[in-house]
Amino acid sequence: MLEFIQNQILFYISLGLVLFVPGYFLLLAIFGRSGALSRFERFAIAFGLSIVSVDFILFALSRAGVAITRLSTIAGIVIFSAICFAVYKISVIASIAKQSRDDRSEIAAVVTLPRNDNALFNFSKKQFALILLLLFLTLFIKVAYLSGTVLPTSTDMGHHMYWAKWMVVQQALPTYDGMPDFIIGEHTIFGAMALIGGLDFFSAFPPVVLLLVDLLGILTVFLLTLRIFKDKNVAILSLLFLGVLFAISSPQAKFVSGGVIGNLMGNFLMPLAFYFYYRAFSFFGEKRELGREEKKFLGMAIFTTFGLFYTHHLTSFIFLFIFAFLVVLFLALNYREAKNIITRVVRMFFSPEVLPIFLTGLIFFFFIFTPSYIEPSAVGTAVGAPSKATREGLSISALKSSVGEARLALGFLGILLLAYSYRKKDFGFAVVTAWAVMIFVMSSVPQILFINLPSNRIGNYLSYPLAILSAFGLYAVFQKNTDSRQRGRTLFQASFLLIITFVLVNGLADSAASLTNKNEADLMAQTFHSAQYVAKTTSDKDIVLKDHNYINSDAWMKLFFMRGYKYPDSRGFFKRYEDPTKPREMCTLYMISNPGGADAQKCFSETRTNFLMINPRYDSAQFHKLQEFDQVYFGGNVAVYYKRN
């Protein structure tokens, strides 16, 4: 019991140090205690900035030749936070020093206390109750699903946690052996938390962190919607369409249980970047002069963008297309004032609040820690004509299955109403439009943009902008057909009606089908016990081959060996060996499927494979027939055979 309590305390300490403290103090250094950000915004945004800050802290330690240990990680976070706090204190003192003695007390109050002029966050009791209800339903549905899938069984999670454990074992940042499929930002926070708290990767801590990232991404969309439309009801409805409806389907809880780390973090950092860009350029539509706070927001936007580039290549790729279209769209709509807009943006960019952050990001990106996906070979796989049918675009029917019928229909309604009520200088409207339109084009007709990526993976990103557009479209209909005195009450009642109808009939249909009682604990335990046995029995000279088709949780075996990402070898899914567009090696198939055949014997000789881990329910007969194989382990669903030379 005491050990359990201790582990819980260590988990929360590591969670706070890694995912909250750096971002909070960074916000304090940049914005002080001004009213530019509400307390709720500071809380949610601090997590995103912490993810990026921890990346750069560890990059700096690695470049300085410092081993990444518990002490150095804590020291790096504490020093970074202390520097941010010192900058905040210096800015306060400098602001006070500029004023006369009679004005000091007044200025100090302005600097150190938050302003209460932000009516956007003054929710009524009914609105606050509805927000709590939607958040509760969101969390309840996700936890109900994850309670049966939280075990360390998913393949993607196993792959990612190998690199996080590699970071802990080697006390350095992962090198990835030149593989562009992994990016450092996907693993640093897990490695840092494991180092600080001594956390076990074979526990619930990775999916719990991913669930937190997922929820914070939803809250960020809520904040962005609230800021853009300046209407609490639209923002609340966005929680319904993104948080409650389809709460399990990709990229929601299914990605959490599946360990799809990059997509989840990307769906947190990309809306956060849009939030900062909107706050930086919102003065165009609000008929006010450019201030210093806008420059600070632009600096944070660039900082978050670099963090996104270090976190997930697909999200970064999509973000660049959206951002390019956003710039073109906004300038095209305001072509008469394009020169003035560009001039003001350039003046912002070359300010002390922005340029140093941009230059520092470039230095890190090209000289300190360059992401592996920058390699020409990696870039070449993402651009060009679609090479497979799965990359030729999604039909409307496929999009409906991906993002949900309710969101797709109301999303189209929302974008039509948004176009009807469009205000040219409103940068927020341009953000939502570019976000939705570009992902729709990239996922449905990728040929025109020369994109060679799986269309369904891109289509998953459409959920977020469609949730915003659905909220706007639904509320716009109520706004036009409801008396202003009854508007709030009617929306409140309609929201409950929507929860009962959409959630139960459409939005939770996918969730209900996914809430199955899958007891994989016994299978997982057998796999882990067998892997632990083989890891202790063998040495680096032994070559182990496992089966990915019939062994549960086999991707996690590599965490027991820690002898390389591709160790042990694996027989992949059978369909992969039949892919005509990409010839595969066949030895992993031959050595398990027909170990006595000539092809298999040649493979055994070339690879020196001498241990094979298979499911005896499917692949034991062929080994029992051969005298050169001895069964050295049996665990019900896992058997291990040793091949004598």
Side-chain angles (χ1 to χ4, degrees):
M1 184 65 181
L2 290 177
E3 183 180 359
F4 173 78
I5 296 175
Q6 180 183 354
N7 291 336
Q8 292 297 304
I9 293 173
L10 289 174
F11 171 73
Y12 290 119
I13 290 175
S14 61
L15 186 69
L17 275 176
V18 175
L19 291 182
F20 183 75
V21 171
Y24 174 81
F25 280 100
L26 179 60
L27 283 176
L28 192 64
I30 301 298
F31 296 101
R33 297 189 181 277
S34 70
L37 294 168
S38 68
R39 292 179 180 177
F40 183 69
E41 287 174 302
R42 287 177 183 272
F43 172 79
I45 293 172
F47 284 90
L49 293 182
S50 292
I51 292 174
V52 181
S53 299
V54 168
D55 283 349
F56 285 105
I57 290 170
L58 295 181
F59 296 162
L61 291 175
S62 178
R63 189 63 174 178
V66 178
I68 299 177
T69 63
R70 173 183 292 179
L71 179 61
S72 64
T73 302
I74 295 176
I77 293 173
V78 171
I79 291 172
F80 175 83
S81 303
I83 292 173
C84 291
F85 186 72
V87 170
Y88 161 68
K89 282 297 186 181
I90 292 172
S91 65
V92 171
I93 295 172
S95 298
I96 295 175
K98 291 180 180 179
Q99 307 300 321
S100 64
R101 184 180 300 272
D102 295 335
D103 295 331
R104 285 185 182 180
S105 60
E106 179 181 352
I107 296 299
V110 173
V111 173
T112 58
L113 295 177
R115 296 195 302 265
N116 295 320
D117 58 353
N118 195 346
L120 280 177
F121 292 88
N122 292 329
F123 296 99
S124 67
K125 291 182 179 180
K126 290 183 178 180
Q127 289 172 331
F128 186 69
L130 185 54
I131 291 174
L132 290 180
L133 174 63
L134 294 175
L135 291 176
F136 170 77
L137 286 174
T138 300
L139 184 61
F140 176 81
I141 297 168
K142 291 176 183 291
V143 171
Y145 172 76
L146 293 172
S147 63
T149 60
V150 74
L151 297 173
T153 59
S154 62
T155 298
D156 283 353
M157 184 80 81
H159 294 327
H160 285 295
M161 289 306 105
Y162 169 81
W163 291 116
K165 186 175 181 179
W166 191 98
M167 174 180 164
V168 174
V169 173
Q170 301 294 331
Q171 298 184 348
L173 294 179
T175 59
Y176 300 117
D177 300 331
M179 290 182 291
D181 294 335
F182 296 100
I183 304 180
I184 188 66
E186 294 177 300
H187 311 123
T188 49
I189 62 171
F190 295 96
M193 288 185 62
L195 281 168
I196 294 173
L199 305 178
D200 190 351
F201 290 101
F202 293 96
S203 67
F205 112 79
V208 167
V209 172
L210 287 183
L211 176 61
L212 178 62
V213 170
D214 181 35
L215 294 173
L216 288 168
I218 294 172
L219 288 178
T220 303
V221 171
F222 169 78
L223 294 174
L224 178 62
T225 307
L226 184 60
R227 285 289 182 180
I228 289 176
F229 294 99
K230 305 207 171 25
D231 194 301
K232 303 166 190 175
N233 298 315
V234 176
I236 292 172
L237 284 173
S238 71
L239 284 178
L240 170 66
F241 284 101
L242 186 59
V244 177
L245 295 177
F246 310 96
I248 293 178
S249 62
S250 304
Q252 301 290 333
K254 282 186 178 179
F255 274 14
V256 175
S257 65
V260 190
I261 295 176
N263 287 80
L264 287 166
M265 289 190 176
N267 274 325
F268 179 20
L269 294 180
M270 185 159 64
L272 182 60
F274 287 143
Y275 170 88
F276 283 129
Y277 280 114
Y278 168 72
R279 295 299 303 273
F281 300 126
S282 61
F283 68 93
F284 285 122
E286 296 177 1
K287 296 180 180 180
R288 56 184 174 83
E289 290 299 320
L290 171 65
R292 190 181 178 189
E293 286 183 348
E294 282 74 17
K295 298 175 183 178
K296 293 179 180 179
F297 278 118
L298 181 56
M300 288 296 95
I302 293 174
F303 179 74
T304 307
T305 301
F306 273 110
L308 178 61
F309 291 163
Y310 275 110
T311 302
H312 194 226
H313 43 23
L314 177 59
T315 313
S316 302
F317 188 73
I318 294 173
F319 174 83
L320 289 176
F321 273 85
I322 297 172
F323 191 80
F325 181 54
L326 170 62
V327 172
V328 173
L329 176 65
F330 189 69
L331 291 178
L333 292 171
N334 299 275
Y335 66 93
R336 293 182 179 178
E337 299 185 28
K339 183 178 180 180
N340 179 48
I341 292 174
I342 294 174
T343 300
R344 300 179 80 177
V345 172
V346 170
R347 189 173 63 183
M348 291 177 66
F349 181 79
F350 286 97
S351 64
E353 293 85 358
V354 179
L355 188 58
I357 295 177
F358 180 75
L359 294 178
T360 302
L362 287 181
I363 292 172
F364 269 89
F365 199 81
F366 290 106
F367 300 104
I368 295 181
F369 205 96
T370 303
S372 58
Y373 66 85
I374 295 299
E375 297 177 2
S377 59
V379 176
T381 61
V383 297
S387 59
K388 297 181 180 179
T390 56
R391 305 184 178 196
E392 294 178 353
L394 301 176
S395 63
I396 295 296
S397 177
L399 279 174
K400 182 178 67 174
S401 300
S402 177
V403 301
E405 186 175 1
R407 276 195 304 219
L408 186 62
L410 288 171
F412 275 114
L413 173 64
I415 202 166
L416 291 175
L417 293 174
L418 191 66
Y420 175 77
S421 59
Y422 202 93
R423 298 188 295 270
K424 292 184 178 180
K425 290 186 178 181
D426 197 315
F427 189 74
F429 282 19
V431 167
V432 177
T433 303
W435 192 359
V437 171
M438 181 50 66
I439 295 181
F440 177 78
V441 172
M442 294 177 73
S443 59
S444 58
V445 282
Q447 309 90 285
I448 66 176
L449 298 175
F450 300 100
I451 295 174
N452 185 23
L453 291 170
S455 299
N456 62 331
R457 292 189 63 189
I458 299 176
N460 287 328
Y461 286 86
L462 195 57
S463 301
Y464 284 67
L466 280 185
I468 299 175
L469 289 169
S470 298
F472 173 74
L474 183 63
Y475 180 67
V477 172
F478 275 96
Q479 190 179 35
K480 291 180 179 297
N481 296 280
T482 308
D483 183 79
S484 60
R485 292 175 298 177
Q486 298 293 328
R487 190 174 301 155
R489 180 180 178 183
T490 302
L491 178 63
F492 181 78
Q493 296 172 343
S495 298
F496 277 99
L497 179 62
L498 282 171
I499 293 174
I500 295 173
T501 55
F502 278 121
V503 171
L504 295 181
V505 176
N506 184 278
L508 283 183
D510 178 80
S511 300
S514 301
L515 290 172
T516 57
N517 293 322
K518 296 171 61 177
N519 187 6
E520 299 181 338
D522 291 340
L523 299 177
M524 179 196 69
Q526 293 177 32
T527 299
F528 290 175
H529 187 271
S530 64
Q532 186 178 40
Y533 166 80
V534 176
K536 290 181 178 180
T537 304
T538 61
S539 66
D540 294 343
K541 296 180 180 180
D542 294 303
I543 304 299
V544 180
L545 172 63
K546 64 178 176 64
D547 179 38
H548 182 58
N549 290 275
Y550 302 123
I551 297 181
N552 182 272
S553 313
D554 69 294
W556 289 80
M557 287 184 178
K558 57 169 63 73
L559 276 77
F560 289 94
F561 293 96
M562 295 306 296
R563 300 174 187 172
Y565 173 76
K566 295 183 179 180
Y567 192 98
D569 292 334
S570 179
R571 179 177 74 170
F573 289 126
F574 298 125
K575 62 181 180 181
R576 293 190 175 184
Y577 297 101
E578 302 173 357
D579 188 352
T581 64
K582 188 176 182 180
R584 303 272 183 171
E585 60 79 27
M586 302 297 293
C587 281
T588 52
L589 176 66
Y590 295 148
M591 288 187 289
I592 293 181
S593 300
N594 186 20
D599 291 330
Q601 291 300 315
K602 180 180 178 181
C603 290
F604 279 118
S605 176
E606 293 176 350
T607 63
R608 304 194 310 277
T609 300
N610 56 344
F611 282 89
L612 299 99
M613 305 179 69
I614 53 94
N615 188 325
R617 300 176 185 271
Y618 302 95
D619 289 299
S620 61
Q622 62 265 40
F623 292 98
H624 283 302
K625 295 177 181 179
L626 302 173
Q627 295 183 355
E628 59 187 303
F629 290 95
D630 296 326
Q631 183 175 309
V632 296
Y633 178 94
F634 181 80
N637 289 284
V638 181
V640 180
Y641 287 88
Y642 172 70
K643 182 181 184 300
R644 299 190 304 273
N645 294 328

